[in-house]
Amino acid sequence: MQKYQDTLDFLYQQLPMFSRVGASAIKKDLDNTLALLEIIDNPQHKFKSIHVAGTNGKGSSSHMLAAIFQQAGYKTGLYTSPHLLDFRERIRINGQMVSEDFVVSFTEQMKSHIAEIQPSFFELTVAMAFEHFAQEQVDIAIIEVGLGGRLDSTNVITPELSLITNISYDHQHLLGDTLAQIAGEKAGIIKHDVPVVISERQAETKDVFIAKAAETGAPIYFADEEWMGAANGTNITNTHLELTLLHIRQQQTHHYQLDLSGQYQEKNVMGVLSATHQLIARGWKITEADIATALSHVKKLTGLRGRWEVVNHHPLTVLDVGHNEAGITEIVQQLHHVTYTALHVVTGFVKDKEVEKVLPLFPKTAKYYFCKAQIPRALDEVSLAEMAARNGLQGQAYPTVQHALQAAKQHAQPDDMILVCGSFFIVSEAM
């Protein structure tokens, strides 16, 4: 245990980590990743994979795909980021986190090379994941892009299929100022002759994907050309999302009950279903029953957390990692489906988010508890409270997430609601 903790301390302290320090940790090419992988005999070529990019929804979609392949009996790797409570959440096989021993031994093995190559935290973690999946001989690994796509460290695989979820404004300082520019970076995962599914057709981005697919000879599929929500086919509870979807070409309806309750999952599900059907057409053995069962047990099968996660009922307390314009918009829409007397929002952001664009989206009638995650990149809670006040949001500033959450719990009545959102780090510390 101590060895594992020492290893984590080494990784966090020695390697630049985007989630803590921001853009200075990002490398503008794949050279370091390729150099690390070369040392360990290129494990990225030793397993089959699915590559998932997008602004919002890529984490949920990756977990849903992993659940489906697991349920169908395949040994399934899953690489995601960031983690909420334990570094090992990033690297899983059939829902089980990588062992502490593997994290320790891999880091020890690479220490001399780390000094020479000076990789980022993310670059080393990608190499660690790929080596684990290769050693364990997974049947398939679902690989979630960290940031962007074209220059992301994960973009060294040739997958069975690429999936691109929603495109919205996030990390503009790294990816570009327009949705088309951001989509161009995400489209970097589209590979020669490898089919790509786009979860959500958007006017500003669809031509970018069509052009990139044409350039690479990649068959391209838009999920909303294949699926549509049936009229009155959505039922939302605090813990489940029931969907009735129509397969447009076959004119068949399919019923799904998800253990993820955010209404925003409907778009993600369509992308996941289109991706799964493309993979079935390419010989993967997955039944409709596997899909339905998997979607109703995503959390149990994969360990997914922090997506409209209900952690208490009186007061109703929900954690959601939504943090950018599109994410907060979806959360606010979801609030319309919830009954409560008063709303208490615990929130904080990181400095490089366009907070001024996000704050106007929040409900003016809620009581706010502004706080700061314990990372260098976090936006100071007093500055946040001042920005919020300019946008008509009233509340107090608290130095830590725990202070803010305690205050919200003290003020909330049993029939109120507490919402915790704003960044992965706020949700992580609330947990």
Side-chain angles (χ1 to χ4, degrees):
M1 183 71 198
Q2 188 53 47
K3 254 189 171 166
Y4 173 63
Q5 195 49 55
D6 292 345
T7 300
L8 286 191
D9 292 344
F10 168 78
L11 292 175
Y12 290 146
Q13 285 158 19
Q14 297 299 314
L15 308 183
M17 186 178 179
F18 174 75
S19 56
R20 294 179 61 78
V21 300
S24 62
I26 298 286
K27 305 290 167 70
K28 291 285 196 265
D29 55 52
L30 298 174
D31 296 354
N32 283 356
T33 306
L34 291 167
L36 290 170
L37 292 168
E38 185 68 33
I39 291 161
I40 49 178
D41 195 28
N42 291 308
Q44 73 276 22
H45 302 320
K46 297 176 185 173
F47 55 86
K48 293 186 164 150
S49 58
I50 299 168
H51 208 182
V52 185
T55 308
N56 296 301
K58 64 182 185 288
S60 296
S61 298
S62 297
H63 283 79
M64 286 186 224
L65 282 167
I68 289 167
F69 276 88
Q70 266 173 256
Q71 185 63 35
Y74 290 106
K75 187 172 186 180
T76 307
L78 175 61
Y79 175 75
T80 57
S81 61
H83 61 272
L84 283 164
L85 296 174
D86 186 333
F87 167 80
R88 298 179 305 136
E89 292 166 29
R90 295 167 180 252
I91 306 170
R92 296 177 187 263
I93 295 177
N94 286 358
Q96 295 300 308
M97 294 191 290
V98 62
S99 70
E100 293 184 0
D101 288 346
F102 183 84
V103 175
V104 172
S105 63
F106 180 84
T107 307
E108 287 301 319
Q109 177 196 347
M110 299 302 278
K111 262 188 182 166
S112 61
H113 305 293
I114 288 169
E116 178 196 339
I117 296 170
Q118 297 197 309
S120 70
F121 177 88
F122 191 80
E123 288 166 334
L124 189 80
T125 308
V126 166
M128 185 188 295
F130 290 179
E131 177 67 0
H132 183 53
F133 297 153
Q135 280 188 19
E136 292 294 324
Q137 299 182 331
V138 297
D139 296 315
I140 193 157
I142 318 300
I143 309 295
E144 181 199 10
V145 165
L147 196 153
R150 183 173 64 93
L151 297 175
D152 187 74
S153 306
T154 62
N155 201 25
V156 293
I157 52 175
T158 303
E160 298 281 288
L161 175 137
S162 307
L163 171 65
I164 301 177
T165 63
N166 149 295
I167 303 297
S168 59
Y169 291 106
D170 205 356
H171 304 297
Q172 287 95 305
H173 58 302
L174 296 167
L175 302 179
D177 292 326
T178 68
L179 290 182
Q181 282 177 321
I182 295 170
E185 290 297 317
K186 312 277 183 193
I189 72 163
I190 298 175
K191 300 289 193 306
H192 196 67
D193 291 339
V194 174
V196 58
V197 170
I198 311 297
S199 293
E200 198 181 330
R201 174 190 297 270
Q202 295 165 271
E204 305 95 325
T205 61
K206 73 173 194 299
D207 290 344
V208 176
F209 295 132
I210 290 168
K212 181 68 176 178
E215 180 195 317
T216 53
I220 183 168
Y221 306 92
F222 288 89
D224 54 8
E225 286 181 359
E226 192 176 351
W227 297 94
M228 63 184 285
N232 305 321
T234 308
N235 181 33
I236 302 166
T237 71
N238 284 334
T239 53
H240 284 84
L241 178 65
E242 290 172 26
L243 294 176
T244 302
L245 299 176
L246 175 70
H247 192 284
I248 297 166
R249 219 174 34 252
Q250 296 169 351
Q251 284 299 300
Q252 285 179 336
T253 53
H254 296 259
H255 302 282
Y256 300 104
Q257 186 182 48
L258 275 69
D259 63 342
L260 308 173
S261 54
Q263 186 182 5
Y264 53 80
Q265 298 295 1
E266 184 171 339
K267 297 169 190 167
N268 295 332
V269 170
M270 291 185 195
V272 165
L273 291 173
S274 287
T276 304
H277 285 184
Q278 287 305 324
L279 292 160
I280 291 169
R282 284 164 174 74
W284 291 87
K285 302 279 184 273
I286 299 168
T287 65
E288 277 302 322
D290 291 332
I291 295 170
T293 304
L295 291 178
S296 64
H297 295 96
V298 176
K299 292 179 186 176
K300 194 171 104 190
L301 288 166
T302 66
L304 177 65
R305 295 196 62 187
R307 284 19 176 230
W308 199 265
E309 181 178 346
V310 176
V311 292
N312 193 17
H313 287 279
H314 301 288
L316 177 65
T317 306
V318 172
L319 312 178
D320 197 296
V321 294
H323 56 273
N324 52 29
E325 247 179 289
I328 298 298
T329 299
E330 297 286 6
I331 288 172
V332 172
Q333 285 175 354
Q334 179 76 7
L335 288 170
H336 298 316
H337 299 282
V338 184
T339 307
Y340 53 80
T341 303
L343 177 62
H344 304 260
V345 180
V346 175
T347 193
F349 291 88
V350 288
K351 289 176 194 152
D352 48 34
K353 293 291 172 203
E354 298 221 321
V355 182
E356 292 281 14
K357 285 190 173 165
V358 175
L359 289 170
L361 304 172
F362 280 100
K364 304 275 189 286
T365 51
K367 181 174 173 55
Y368 288 86
Y369 304 78
F370 303 107
C371 56
K372 183 177 102 177
Q374 302 307 296
I375 55 166
R377 230 176 112 212
L379 177 63
D380 162 68
E381 71 280 8
V382 177
S383 307
L384 175 59
E386 287 166 0
M387 289 162 78
R390 290 199 293 275
N391 284 282
L393 307 181
Q394 298 308 313
Q396 300 291 317
Y398 298 87
T400 70
V401 176
Q402 288 303 327
H403 279 100
L405 188 56
Q406 281 310 116
K409 285 177 178 173
Q410 281 164 1
H411 289 119
Q413 299 300 310
D415 51 1
D416 287 354
M417 176 177 177
I418 298 174
L419 169 65
V420 181
C421 65
S423 82
F424 257 89
F425 312 101
I426 298 292
V427 169
S428 165
E429 290 181 25
M431 285 176 175

